[in-house]
């Protein structure tokens, strides 16, 4: 592990961790930087609930393969946000086809979801003595979700810090990088071992498909999340070759 970056901050971070590729890269990023790291996940009746099982596997594998990180990885928190199903009607929580809507956003969009997630995370972080929230939101490859934009999250950081009367930094290490660069980032943090872990144990597919194994991991191979992940992995592999 010594060839990879290690902690340079005494702060404690809470990582929004879904069990997917992006949030696993963010978790590794936080473990390389902060003295203590905890994780938070949300159960909101998502169709790809298999990702909730992947969360525990990924945490266990990270601790086993990267002992220096394992020593800093603290508690996991899973919040029941079933109420999200009551206030939204989308393809992620109901059995509907994923398609584009008239407003240009895919119907996988849960309005303001990241605002809710980060606000719940901030409340927990405050109680746990953490002053950094880390999330995998991204402007580059994202599907047009306005709550993933940098300015939205900067504004939320200010609102949270004022509302808690305590500094709460929102870090989004993937904000301006492509999916191929996310694979490169995880490799720079944990080498080929981390990328192998991500391929084998993380989950991204919107349909929760884990029977088909591709070079980039498990998934249906045709939903928007699988297409992004596959294309990014291909670009990364070509640039590394
Ligand atoms: Zn898929």
């Amino acid at each position: 592990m010594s060839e990879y970056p290690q902690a340079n901050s005494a702060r404690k971070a809470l990582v929004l961790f879904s069990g997917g590729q992006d949030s696993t890269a963010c978790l590794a990023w936080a473990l390389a930087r902060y003295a203590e790291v905890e994780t938070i996940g949300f159960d909101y009746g998502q169709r790809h609930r298999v990702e909730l099982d992947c969360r525990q596997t990924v945490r266990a594998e990270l601790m086993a393969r990267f002992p220096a990180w394992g020593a800093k990885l603290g508690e996991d928190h899973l919040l029941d946000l079933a109420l999200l199903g009551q206030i939204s009607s989308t393809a992620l929580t109901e059995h509907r086809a994923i398609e584009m809507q008239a407003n240009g956003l895919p119907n996988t969009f849960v309005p303001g979801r990241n605002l809710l997630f980060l606000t719940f995370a901030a409340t927990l972080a405050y109680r746990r003595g953490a002053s950094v929230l880390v999330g995998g939101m991204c402007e580059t490859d994202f599907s047009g979700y306005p709550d993933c934009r940098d300015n939205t999250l900067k504004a939320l950081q200010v609102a949270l810090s004022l509302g808690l009367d305590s500094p709460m930094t929102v870090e989004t290490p993937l904000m301006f990088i492509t999916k191929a660069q996310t694979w490169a980032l995880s490799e720079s943090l944990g080498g080929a071992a981390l990328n192998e872990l991500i391929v084998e144990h993380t989950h991204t597919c919107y349909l929760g498909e884990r029977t088909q194994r591709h070079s980039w991991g498990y998934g249906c191979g045709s939903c928007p999340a699988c297409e992004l992940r596959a294309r990014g992995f291909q670009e990364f592999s070509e640039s590394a070759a």
Side-chain angles (χ1 to χ4, degrees):
M1 283 306 301
S2 57
E3 69 266 41
Y4 301 115
Q6 288 300 303
N8 57 20
S9 169
R11 298 171 79 186
K12 182 169 173 177
L14 179 64
V15 179
L16 278 71
F17 179 57
S18 70
Q21 176 193 353
D22 290 350
S23 66
T24 300
C26 286
L27 178 55
W29 182 90
L31 287 165
R33 262 164 197 75
Y34 299 104
E36 278 183 86
V37 177
E38 295 189 359
T39 50
I40 181 172
F42 304 97
D43 183 350
Y44 56 100
Q46 55 266 60
R47 272 164 73 170
H48 47 304
R49 292 178 60 80
V50 65
E51 74 177 16
L52 296 179
D53 301 328
C54 292
R55 296 177 75 251
Q56 297 310 325
T57 311
V58 170
R59 278 177 52 96
E61 289 288 326
L62 277 173
M63 291 175 97
R65 296 202 211 173
F66 302 90
W69 289 352
K72 298 196 273 179
L73 183 56
E75 276 187 43
D76 177 52
H77 312 269
L78 184 65
L79 263 55
D80 181 354
L81 287 193
L83 61 90
L84 222 56
Q86 289 176 262
I87 55 175
S88 65
S89 169
T90 80
L92 280 191
T93 50
E94 293 175 3
H95 287 275
R96 279 166 43 183
I98 295 171
E99 56 193 24
M100 295 305 283
Q101 304 177 131
N103 62 4
L105 294 172
N107 64 349
T108 49
F109 179 60
V110 179
R113 184 179 66 176
N114 287 309
L115 302 180
L116 295 171
F117 285 0
L118 282 162
T119 304
F120 280 113
T123 301
L124 180 72
Y126 183 92
R127 187 159 61 77
R128 303 290 302 170
S131 60
V132 184
L133 302 176
V134 183
M137 301 80 181
C138 173
E139 278 200 6
T140 312
D141 273 339
F142 75 137
S143 307
Y145 302 147
D147 62 336
C148 287
R149 290 178 190 149
D150 193 49
N151 277 346
T152 304
L153 300 177
K154 290 281 196 298
L156 185 61
Q157 171 178 290
V158 174
L160 292 172
S161 297
L162 288 172
L164 296 168
D165 196 22
S166 177
M168 190 61 69
T169 307
V170 177
E171 291 281 8
T172 53
L174 312 184
M175 182 57 73
F176 298 110
I177 67 176
T178 64
K179 276 278 182 280
Q181 289 170 321
T182 301
W183 287 107
L185 172 68
S186 48
E187 185 177 67
S188 75
L189 292 165
L194 181 56
N195 275 1
E196 284 162 21
L197 188 161
I198 288 172
V199 165
E200 198 60 37
H201 298 294
T202 69
H203 184 83
T204 306
C205 176
Y206 279 150
L207 302 182
E209 168 64 51
R210 280 194 78 75
T211 55
Q212 295 178 59
R213 167 70 150 81
H214 313 265
S215 58
W216 44 266
Y218 293 89
C220 72
S222 53
C223 76
C226 280
E227 283 182 0
L228 261 184
R229 180 165 166 155
R231 201 178 327 129
F233 186 80
Q234 190 185 346
E235 280 174 31
F236 166 71
S237 303
E238 286 167 5
S239 67

